[in-house]
Amino acid sequence: MRTPSDQPDHAYPDHWEADVVLRDGGTARIRPITPDDAERLVSFYEQVSDESKYYRFFAPYPRLSAKDVHRFTHHDYVDRVGLAATVGDDFIATVRYDRIDDRGHPASAPADEAEVAFLVQDAHQGRGVASALLEHIAAVARERDIRRFAAEVLPANSKMIKVFTDAGYTQKRSFEDGAVRLHLDLEPTDRSLAVQRAREQRAEARSVQRLLAPGSVAVIGAGRTSGGVGRTVLRNLLDAGYTGRTYAVNGALPEGRSEMDGVPAFRSVGEIGEPVDLAIVAVPAERVPEVLADCGEHGVQGLVVLSAGYAEQGAAGRERQRELVRRARSYGMRVIGPNAFGVINTASGVRLNASLAPHPPAQGRIGLFTQSGAIGIALLSGLHRRGAGLSSFVSAGNRADVSGNDILQYWYDDPDTDVALMYLESIGNPRKFTRLARRTAAVKPVVVVQGARHDGSAPPGHAVPVTRIPYATVSALLRQAGVIRVDTVTELVDAGLLLAGQPLPAGPRVAILGNSESLGLLTYDACLTEGLRPLRPRDLTTAATPQDFRAALFEALQDDACDAVVVTAIPWVGDNGVTESGDGEVLAAALRAASAMAPAKPVLVVHVEMGALADALAAATSTAPPPPGPGAAGHPASEPPAPTGTATTGTPRPAPAAAADPAPTAPAGTQHPAPTGPSAPATPTAHAPAEADHAPEAGGTPGPRESRIPAYPAAERAARALAEAVRYAQWRRQAAEPGRVPHYEGIDEAGAAAQIQRALGEGDGAGERGVTLDPAATGELLRRYGIDVRPALAAPTPDAAVRAAGHLGYPVALKTTAPHLRHRPDLGGVRLDLATEEQLRTAYAELTQTLGKPEELQPVVQPMAPRGVDTVVRAALDPAVGAVLSFGLAGAPSELLGDTAHRLVPATERDVAEQIRSIRAAPLLFGWRGSDPVDTSALEELLLRVSRLVDDHPEIVAIGLEPVVVAPRGLSVLGATVRLAPPPARTDLGPRRLPSY
């Protein structure tokens, strides 16, 4: 038997290389150590303090011997592995493991324990380097069938002990021979995954913060004359009143010139002589590499690359883009862009406008992220025109590095951002985006509009993985994660204005009031179309004054029967037929006054040709603490406030978390599907408004909120925005108490795993390509999870059909299973309720005479199932998204109309209850037009069992149950298919790493 040192070396494992974000927001590269690293290792060791060396070797160890250097740089990548964290070309930390046996001696497999040791350069301690290395070396060890780490640490080395104890792994500690002995079980746990994701969030949020709140900015490529991209950004920086230090950099700056637009000017970053946090790069693409090197060598923390000429220009540009990101990360920098429009941070302590936007937005509480400069310009303009302020703006261009995921990490606990608006043209990591969006949506709204939704329409600059999941499915999954998904940038602004300026509604009941009966009816119809429950519109008549509006709005907001109010308004016309002037401003003041003094319910305005009203409502209002409610400050609760010239509002209060009941489950006797929205909300009182729906549980105390009543020029736009707010509020209330994944007795998980492994191992490499189970194996696998498939016996001849019917028992069904006829009852390939041999033979003859020969039709005989509604249940595994559970009615509703509902696996009881009620054809399940309601409880259990099956066994890449006949009592699965394949790698469960496209 060979010793470990005799084992042949394996090929260099380049898949272990990874870029990671550290605790302070900088980046480092983790990679395996090779023999070529000898000089780097020696140089690294020389920069480590004597104390750190002592902690590593338990004795003074001033220098490495030649034998040490050889041992620490030569690995077989199985039993002996070393990883290094690098910045630039230098090591900043190392970790290694050596496989050992139960006596602590060097060993090979099947020994499953290894001794691990770290060394971090003193200048980089406290940056989270060791924690990142532990994640990666643990993943490597698991890949090499090592299940436990052992480590000896001196008691005084508290930092290293903390790295191990904080990792979240199951561990044991003992004290032996003056050292702390630690044993870590490397199997990931819920706690280790939570620790990893919390560290990821803090690090990525910090990396974005360094880009949005720099202490100093250098504009590289600022032209010597006015105009041009670089000079424009420099001018915008100065005009916005940026609070940090600003520098201009131009490599062609003439001798003797030392300023540009009043700021210090230099030929390079190196000449500045002071720290530069952020560089705005506006030079031709061919000059970017030298600029990047200049920035990296002088400690710049991040780049915003406005330069074009990258992946949007084809293969050569795509390679140039990859090299840009690779080199930037090697220096510890993150990159926004290339081909970016810039970034904005309106915080009073920053006032950064490092963008091409000539008019920076006002300070506000909306965060905006776009992947398109043109769309960014349009959104900035639209928000500005309607009075909305921003907290931050990022236009990522080709988003080669910093992406929407990073911005969500930043917004999650940013106290200055209450609403996140995102325009996306591609989602590089849908699984991670969904996870981050769900977490963020639990504390603040996330509104997304996606461009390039069709195959082949993704922008050429976005080199991202391709998902096979259709856009409609991705959209449904985003909604499941709490994302408010809209179709246009106009709807993005409409929803953002409402969510940023008004509290969340407690339910779908809408009061409508205004001075136009016709506009009120249009609003009523629009609300019904969007699934809201409008009350009868209240017509104030065309003679209504602003005081009448104020009193009516105050009364509506006090009414326990409504959750939101839509005010409709048309211009006043005087006796001489001329529109009276000034009424818009007065009406806006009256509406704000009533809203401020009444219970916290959202108020929206629909107007026709009342620009003055819209402008007045868009004007900034007070952000002072809320005034006393009705019944205080001299105003009895029943008396509306007196009008004021400039009404102020306080911080909007949300509806109470318990203001509405969750969607009920429809009982068997229900004639209609259970509603998906709140149905019996309680109205908040003026004296005790709840704060749950607006208080961000994550992060610090937010600054003062603006309160604006959003105005819409069309009833349909207002109703759509309000409906999205209602659905989001309902999701958020439910998210506070997540659904449960039930446990079912009798599931044979181990037996299913063994069957799957046997199936994948059979044949000549077929398992690598994937296999489709035959009907018998499919039925066996499904039965292990409590899913019974009705037997079907082949009937190649009439006599065989008769024998099958005799075995199964009459009545039976005769149906074809040929691929071109499968699940197509409209083509006549199914005969039902065959009660006798004569009927069976007649049906067999009709099928073969009409549709073809038996060998073409592949007929089968199956026992009859109780009559009910034909449905289809499917699950599919997508590498980018994960496993997706789908449900719809069989046939035309799902196949022709796309009426299918989707949920991520594992699905909860609440998920599947909502899923079957969310399709448009759901009334057929609940007693439509007097029919008997079907057993939705049995259907929900089937969906949960399928979800559990594919969640337990990722080798199941596709499963289809069709049709599933759901009867008034029970259900019958009449057909099933299962496809197996080796599962794709789960990047979301591995160690933290930045994506590389």
Side-chain angles (χ1 to χ4, degrees):
M1 177 178 177
R2 295 184 294 185
T3 65
S5 59
D6 296 327
Q7 300 291 338
D9 289 350
H10 285 66
Y12 177 81
D14 54 8
H15 65 287
W16 293 351
E17 296 181 353
D19 294 316
V20 297
V21 184
L22 303 177
R23 184 180 300 155
D24 62 358
T27 63
R29 185 161 186 79
I30 294 176
R31 64 170 178 82
I33 298 174
T34 72
D36 295 336
D37 291 319
E39 292 185 9
R40 294 185 187 89
L41 181 65
V42 171
S43 175
F44 158 73
Y45 195 77
E46 289 174 348
Q47 298 177 61
V48 176
S49 70
D50 290 340
E51 181 183 49
S52 294
K53 292 173 183 176
Y54 186 89
Y55 284 156
R56 169 65 176 85
F57 292 104
F58 293 14
Y61 215 91
R63 66 185 58 83
L64 297 175
S65 67
K67 184 178 180 180
D68 292 331
V69 173
H70 183 276
R71 182 163 66 95
F72 293 153
T73 57
H74 288 69
H75 307 93
D76 62 9
Y77 302 124
V78 178
D79 301 324
R80 305 182 320 282
V81 172
L83 301 179
T86 66
V87 173
D89 199 37
D90 300 324
F91 283 9
I92 64 170
T94 63
V95 62
R96 63 176 284 112
Y97 77 66
D98 293 90
R99 195 190 300 257
I100 56 175
D101 59 21
D102 55 3
R103 294 172 298 174
H105 297 158
S108 296
D112 61 357
E113 186 170 349
E115 193 166 46
V116 64
F118 295 77
L119 187 59
V120 180
Q121 200 176 98
D122 294 66
H124 294 276
Q125 291 178 11
R127 301 184 65 203
V129 183
S131 298
L133 281 173
L134 177 57
E135 289 180 20
H136 283 262
I137 196 73
V140 168
R142 289 192 296 268
E143 182 181 328
R144 299 310 194 198
D145 296 323
I146 292 172
R147 297 292 173 254
R148 290 180 304 281
F149 273 163
E152 287 189 353
V153 186
L154 289 175
N157 193 358
S158 57
K159 291 181 180 179
M160 198 67 245
I161 293 175
K162 185 173 175 58
V163 167
F164 287 115
T165 57
D166 288 354
Y169 295 114
T170 303
Q171 57 184 272
K172 296 179 181 178
R173 297 176 63 179
S174 60
F175 190 78
E176 303 174 13
D177 300 327
V180 178
R181 183 79 174 174
L182 294 162
H183 290 270
L184 277 73
D185 187 339
L186 300 183
E187 186 65 26
T189 65
D190 289 343
R191 181 168 178 263
S192 69
L193 187 59
V195 167
Q196 178 179 313
R197 288 179 173 172
R199 288 172 172 168
E200 174 192 64
Q201 189 275 325
R202 288 193 297 269
E204 293 179 359
R206 175 61 181 147
S207 73
V208 174
Q209 185 183 37
R210 299 203 316 178
L211 295 165
L212 290 179
S216 56
V217 175
V219 180
I220 305 176
R224 290 170 289 173
T225 59
S226 299
V229 172
R231 193 64 176 267
T232 299
V233 172
L234 178 62
R235 190 69 259 160
N236 291 344
L237 264 173
L238 300 176
D239 290 346
Y242 171 57
T243 60
R245 302 182 307 278
T246 305
Y247 308 100
V249 177
N250 186 317
L253 198 69
E255 288 285 348
R257 183 169 180 180
S258 59
E259 66 86 23
M260 188 180 298
D261 283 343
V263 304
F266 304 89
R267 291 186 176 183
S268 68
V269 173
E271 290 183 3
I272 294 175
E274 295 182 17
V276 173
D277 295 333
L278 178 65
I280 312 299
V281 181
V283 300
E286 59 269 18
R287 286 196 51 215
V288 170
E290 64 182 88
V291 168
L292 189 152
D294 184 26
C295 291
E297 291 166 4
H298 293 93
V300 174
Q301 296 181 350
L303 306 176
V304 176
V305 181
L306 309 182
S307 312
Y310 288 89
E312 75 277 6
Q313 293 190 356
R318 188 173 297 111
E319 186 56 38
R320 190 181 303 122
Q321 182 168 296
R322 291 194 183 105
E323 180 65 11
L324 164 68
V325 174
R326 187 192 67 80
R327 292 194 62 193
R329 288 176 178 173
S330 74
Y331 284 115
M333 298 185 292
R334 300 217 62 186
V335 178
I336 291 178
N339 200 24
F341 185 71
V343 298
I344 297 174
N345 184 353
T346 64
S348 56
V350 182
R351 297 200 298 272
L352 174 74
N353 180 13
S355 77
L356 296 170
H359 304 293
Q363 185 176 1
R365 310 198 61 80
I366 296 175
L368 177 61
F369 173 84
T370 76
Q371 291 178 351
S372 162
I375 296 297
I377 295 171
L379 286 170
L380 288 173
S381 176
L383 290 166
H384 175 75
R385 185 173 62 254
R386 297 177 68 178
L390 295 185
S391 61
S392 54
F393 165 74
V394 176
S395 172
N398 293 0
R399 69 125 184 84
D401 180 24
V402 173
S403 68
N405 286 344
D406 298 288
I407 305 303
L408 278 179
Q409 298 276 40
Y410 171 75
W411 282 334
Y412 169 65
D413 55 7
D414 175 30
D416 293 328
T417 300
D418 287 339
V419 179
L421 305 184
M422 308 185 80
Y423 170 77
L424 305 177
E425 291 177 341
S426 59
I427 303 176
N429 188 342
R431 195 193 298 260
K432 181 177 179 180
F433 181 82
T434 301
R435 170 170 58 86
L436 299 185
R438 177 188 292 274
R439 185 191 59 188
T440 305
V443 295
K444 59 189 68 174
V446 178
V447 191
V448 171
V449 62
Q450 187 174 350
R453 291 176 284 193
H454 300 286
D455 292 342
S457 62
H462 295 197
V464 297
V466 176
T467 175
R468 298 187 300 270
I469 298 292
Y471 167 74
T473 305
V474 174
S475 178
L477 299 181
L478 291 181
R479 285 196 178 277
Q480 184 188 0
V483 172
I484 300 171
R485 226 278 307 150
V486 296
D487 291 324
T488 68
V489 293
T490 300
E491 292 176 4
L492 186 75
V493 174
D494 285 346
L497 288 171
L498 174 60
L499 293 163
Q502 294 292 305
L504 294 177
R509 303 169 303 173
V510 183
I512 303 170
L513 60 92
N515 62 352
S516 168
E517 182 180 13
S518 298
L519 187 53
L521 291 174
L522 287 173
T523 304
Y524 181 88
D525 291 341
C527 289
L528 286 176
T529 300
E530 294 298 330
L532 299 171
R533 288 159 47 186
L535 309 178
R536 176 185 292 274
R538 179 179 176 183
D539 182 18
L540 304 180
T541 76
T542 55
T545 65
Q547 290 78 9
D548 295 330
F549 272 90
R550 185 190 68 247
L553 175 57
F554 182 83
E555 181 180 343
L557 290 171
Q558 294 282 359
D559 186 357
D560 290 350
C562 82
D563 305 304
V565 181
V566 178
V567 177
T568 63
I570 62 172
W572 286 271
V573 179
D575 295 337
N576 58 0
V578 178
T579 301
E580 295 183 4
S581 61
D583 285 336
E585 293 84 348
V586 176
L587 176 57
L591 296 178
R592 286 201 298 261
S595 177
M597 299 299 293
K601 297 177 184 178
V603 177
L604 301 80
V605 169
V606 175
H607 67 92
V608 174
E609 297 301 327
M610 292 192 68
L613 172 61
D615 293 343
L617 290 173
T621 57
S622 171
T623 54
H635 290 291
S638 60
E639 179 182 323
T644 59
T646 55
T648 63
T649 63
T651 304
R653 300 292 187 178
D661 295 329
T665 301
T670 304
Q671 295 298 310
H672 300 285
T676 57
S679 57
T683 303
T685 67
H687 305 286
E691 300 188 25
D693 282 344
H694 264 316
E697 293 89 344
T701 303
R705 285 180 51 92
E706 297 172 350
S707 178
R708 287 187 175 85
I709 298 176
Y712 302 89
E716 294 77 12
R717 288 171 56 180
R720 195 168 298 124
L722 180 57
E724 294 293 357
V726 168
R727 285 189 285 266
Y728 168 68
Q730 180 196 3
W731 177 91
R732 186 150 150 182
R733 287 189 292 271
Q734 293 176 346
E737 298 180 5
R740 186 176 65 92
V741 177
H743 174 74
Y744 292 113
E745 298 292 337
I747 286 180
D748 184 9
E749 183 177 347
Q755 180 184 348
I756 289 169
Q757 292 307 313
R758 287 195 304 271
L760 289 175
E762 295 173 354
D764 299 328
E768 295 298 321
R769 300 187 301 270
V771 294
T772 299
L773 297 183
D774 60 42
T778 296
E780 179 185 0
L781 179 62
L782 294 175
R783 279 195 299 275
R784 296 182 188 276
Y785 274 73
I787 302 170
D788 292 320
V789 181
R790 290 219 161 213
L793 301 180
T797 65
D799 291 339
V802 171
R803 288 193 297 272
H807 176 75
L808 297 172
Y810 289 97
V812 296
L814 177 68
K815 60 184 182 181
T816 63
T817 61
H820 67 289
L821 297 173
R822 192 174 180 84
H823 308 311
R824 292 293 307 276
D826 55 306
L827 298 180
V830 178
R831 297 292 190 273
L832 303 176
D833 288 322
L834 305 176
T836 65
E837 176 180 340
E838 180 182 0
Q839 291 178 356
L840 177 58
R841 289 185 180 276
T842 300
Y844 198 100
E846 291 175 351
L847 280 182
T848 54
Q849 290 172 6
T850 305
L851 299 177
K853 298 178 181 179
E855 53 269 25
E856 298 172 351
L857 303 181
Q858 304 173 29
V860 298
V861 174
Q862 196 170 40
M864 282 296 299
R867 294 297 180 91
V869 178
D870 288 3
T871 66
V872 56
V873 174
R874 295 191 179 98
L877 182 65
D878 183 87
V881 177
V884 179
L885 181 69
S886 303
F887 168 76
L889 298 194
S894 57
E895 296 179 14
L896 178 62
L897 302 179
D899 187 17
T900 306
H902 310 277
R903 293 295 184 271
L904 284 173
V905 168
T908 66
E909 291 175 324
R910 178 182 293 162
D911 287 334
V912 298
E914 293 173 348
Q915 184 175 17
I916 66 173
R917 290 161 175 79
S918 64
I919 60 174
R920 297 190 298 276
L924 293 173
L925 301 172
F926 294 93
W928 186 62
R929 289 189 173 181
S931 62
D932 291 332
V934 302
D935 193 346
T936 53
S937 295
L939 180 58
E940 290 170 13
E941 180 177 332
L942 175 66
L943 286 163
L944 288 167
R945 288 181 180 273
V946 172
S947 170
R948 170 77 184 272
L949 174 61
V950 297
D951 189 47
D952 287 346
H953 307 285
E955 300 88 352
I956 301 176
V957 295
I959 183 171
L961 308 181
E962 184 178 6
V964 177
V965 182
V966 190
R969 294 189 62 183
L971 56 78
S972 303
V973 180
L974 303 186
T977 59
V978 172
R979 181 164 180 78
L980 308 176
R986 285 287 302 271
T987 56
D988 60 318
L989 296 181
R992 290 172 285 160
R993 62 171 63 215
L994 287 171
S996 56
Y997 303 128

